[in-house]
């Protein structure tokens, strides 16, 4: 360089005198030498100013991003540069935020699609589940003129079937109401000791196994970030499911445990009950997804569907493992970010 002004010396951290006679290439990182060479060729090879963005080195070796403009005047090049580090950093931050927002929008779109598909499946399942009791009521309640003369005993039996169907419908409607309210409730995420949650659920359910030989054990459970009510509902449904599954066992054994996975904290409820065929495991967590006869297992079949819904609202997932007659294990995995350290 033949000459440099005071501002150049200030930006580069060098006295003006030390810049005079110095090669400009010494002020650029070696990795950008080819870019500088191409830039200078353009400056001397075409008329008018040429611009480029290059990192320059301050005294001590710390780089900063600069916008450089140069124009040739004969065999001399007049060059100016401006520190654009702040603007470049702001642009990169804007791109990062934009990318994060795009990713968030994609996640929300996927969640909306999943909820929509779940709603469609739910409506279909409700219609199918209600169809049986309604047809039974309709058949048993035909006007007398459309029925042959029937004995009083059969009339009483028909009336009993109608009442049973009505009871079943009412039970389903109550279950649907609870499923809907629990799915839509506003969650408040706080630190939750799952040991205390489990203890409260056991106290609530203990009357259900009165007179049975039930051995319920558990590992030390972690503290997580979650909604207390929702997690109590999850444990209630999983333990209720295990109690039903072990109803035919001489001695019911139920264990609540925890496993640390690579990116998740996995909780599980294991039982020695009737089990299930793994071929149909996906039906377990769908509304009314019965794998066993309702009269054998009991309940409308919404408990595990609710567990899945609440798990998704905690950013988690659910699955199950089992074999017919050899018990089952139901899993709830929460992201590691939910675990309190």
């Amino acid at each position: 360089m033949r000459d440099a002004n005071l501002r150049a010396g200030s930006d580069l951290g060098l006295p003006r005198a030390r810049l005079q006679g110095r090669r400009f290439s010494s002020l650029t990182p070696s990795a950008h030498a080819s870019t500088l060479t191409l830039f200078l060729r353009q400056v001397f090879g075409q008329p008018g100013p040429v611009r480029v963005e290059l990192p320059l080195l301050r005294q001590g070796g710390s780089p900063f991003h600069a916008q450089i403009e140069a124009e040739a005047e004969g065999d001399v090049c007049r060059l100016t540069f401006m520190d654009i580090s702040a603007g470049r950093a702001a642009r990169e931050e804007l791109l990062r935020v934009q990318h994060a927002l795009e990713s968030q929008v994609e996640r929300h779109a996927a969640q909306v699609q999943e909820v929509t598909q779940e709603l469609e499946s739910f409506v279909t399942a409700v219609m199918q589940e209600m169809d049986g009791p309604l047809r039974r009521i309709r058949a048993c309640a035909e006007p007398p003129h459309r029925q042959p003369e029937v004995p009083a005993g059969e009339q009483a039996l028909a009336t009993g079937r109608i009442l049973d169907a009505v009871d079943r419908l009412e039970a389903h409607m109550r279950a649907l109401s609870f499923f809907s309210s629990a799915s839509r409730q506003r969650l408040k995420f706080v630190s939750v000791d799952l040991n205390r949650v489990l203890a409260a659920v056991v106290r609530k359910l203990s009357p259900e196994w009165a007179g049975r030989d039930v051995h319920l054990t558990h590992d030390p459970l972690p503290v997580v970030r979650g909604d207390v009510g929702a997690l109590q509902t999850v444990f209630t449904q999983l333990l209720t499911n295990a109690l039903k599954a072990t109803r035919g066992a001489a001695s019911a054994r139920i264990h609540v445990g925890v496993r640390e996975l690579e990116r998740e904290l996995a909780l599980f409820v294991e039982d020695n009950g009737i089990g299930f065929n793994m071929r149909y495991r996906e039906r377990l967590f769908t509304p009314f997804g019965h794998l066993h006869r309702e009269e054998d297992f009991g309940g409308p079949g919404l408990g595990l569907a609710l567990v899945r819904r609440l798990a998704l609202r905690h950013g988690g997932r659910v699955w199950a493992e089992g074999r017919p007659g050899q018990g089952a294990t139901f899993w709830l995995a929460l992201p590691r970010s939910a675990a309190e350290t």
Side-chain angles (χ1 to χ4, degrees):
M1 286 183 285
R2 292 185 180 181
D3 198 3
N5 61 16
L6 294 175
R7 178 61 184 270
S10 173
D11 286 348
L12 294 169
L14 287 169
R16 179 182 177 187
R18 290 184 59 183
L19 289 174
Q20 293 174 354
R22 187 165 184 165
R23 295 179 65 86
F24 190 76
S25 58
S26 67
L27 300 175
T28 60
S30 58
H32 296 269
S34 59
T35 303
L36 176 62
T37 300
L38 179 61
F39 169 64
L40 292 177
R41 285 177 182 173
Q42 290 177 329
V43 171
F44 287 99
Q46 66 185 54
V50 181
R51 295 185 181 86
V52 71
E53 288 187 14
L54 273 175
L56 298 181
L57 297 174
R58 290 191 177 91
Q59 177 68 13
S62 61
F64 66 94
H65 291 282
Q67 183 182 75
I68 303 171
E69 181 178 302
E71 185 174 2
E73 298 176 358
D75 61 347
V76 177
C77 172
R78 182 181 298 276
L79 180 148
T80 60
F81 67 86
M82 178 174 59
D83 186 348
I84 60 169
S85 298
R88 186 184 179 96
R91 186 167 66 245
E92 290 176 351
E93 176 64 14
L94 181 62
L95 290 174
R96 186 194 67 79
V97 172
Q98 181 180 355
H99 178 71
L101 289 174
E102 289 175 352
S103 299
Q104 188 174 8
V105 168
E106 290 176 359
R107 288 196 302 272
H108 286 171
Q111 291 173 353
V112 169
Q113 183 178 7
E114 182 177 7
V115 170
T116 301
Q117 292 174 346
E118 183 181 0
L119 178 59
E120 292 174 353
S121 300
F122 182 72
V123 171
T124 301
V126 169
M127 293 176 65
Q128 292 174 346
E129 192 71 12
M130 299 300 181
D131 185 60
L134 288 173
R135 281 191 287 107
R136 183 176 298 178
I137 292 172
R138 187 180 299 110
C140 294
E142 282 187 355
H145 68 271
R146 296 182 57 184
Q147 298 181 1
E149 192 68 28
V150 293
E154 292 189 15
Q155 290 181 357
L157 182 61
T159 301
R161 289 173 178 170
I162 292 176
L163 294 176
D164 288 343
V166 170
D167 289 342
R168 183 180 173 189
L169 278 176
E170 289 180 344
H172 280 61
M173 295 305 294
R174 286 194 298 269
L176 283 170
S177 177
F178 179 72
F179 180 90
S180 176
S181 61
S183 297
R184 292 182 292 104
Q185 67 178 340
R186 186 172 182 176
L187 302 185
K188 181 180 180 181
F189 285 79
V190 296
S191 296
V192 182
D193 184 349
L194 294 182
N195 296 286
R196 299 181 64 179
V197 169
L198 179 60
V201 171
V202 169
R203 286 195 300 270
K204 175 183 176 182
L205 295 180
S206 58
E208 295 190 15
W209 68 73
R212 292 179 53 186
D213 183 16
V214 176
H215 299 272
L216 176 61
T217 58
H218 69 91
D219 296 339
L221 301 180
V223 175
V224 301
R225 293 285 298 177
D227 181 87
V228 177
L231 291 173
Q232 285 182 344
T233 299
V234 167
F235 273 88
T236 298
Q237 297 300 330
L238 290 177
L239 287 179
T240 298
N241 183 77
L243 288 169
K244 291 178 180 179
T246 56
R247 202 154 41 194
S251 178
R253 299 189 179 276
I254 302 172
H255 181 70
V256 181
V258 59
R259 295 286 185 275
E260 291 191 11
L261 305 182
E262 182 178 357
R263 297 182 179 180
E264 297 169 306
L265 187 68
L267 306 163
F268 65 88
V269 176
E270 183 180 42
D271 66 65
N272 65 334
I274 57 178
F276 62 90
N277 190 328
M278 286 288 285
R279 183 183 304 175
Y280 308 111
R281 62 185 180 273
E282 294 302 324
R283 287 173 51 189
L284 286 167
F285 296 98
T286 60
F288 310 111
H290 302 285
L291 293 190
H292 307 284
R293 294 190 309 169
E294 186 172 342
E295 52 267 32
D296 293 337
F297 205 72
L302 285 172
L304 293 178
L306 181 57
V307 168
R308 178 179 179 271
R309 188 78 191 96
L310 294 177
L312 289 174
R313 295 189 66 188
H314 279 75
R317 60 190 181 103
V318 293
W319 71 96
E321 300 166 350
R323 295 182 65 180
Q326 299 185 32
T329 305
F330 288 82
W331 295 83
L332 163 67
L334 299 175
R336 277 194 171 274
S337 58
E340 291 286 307
T341 56

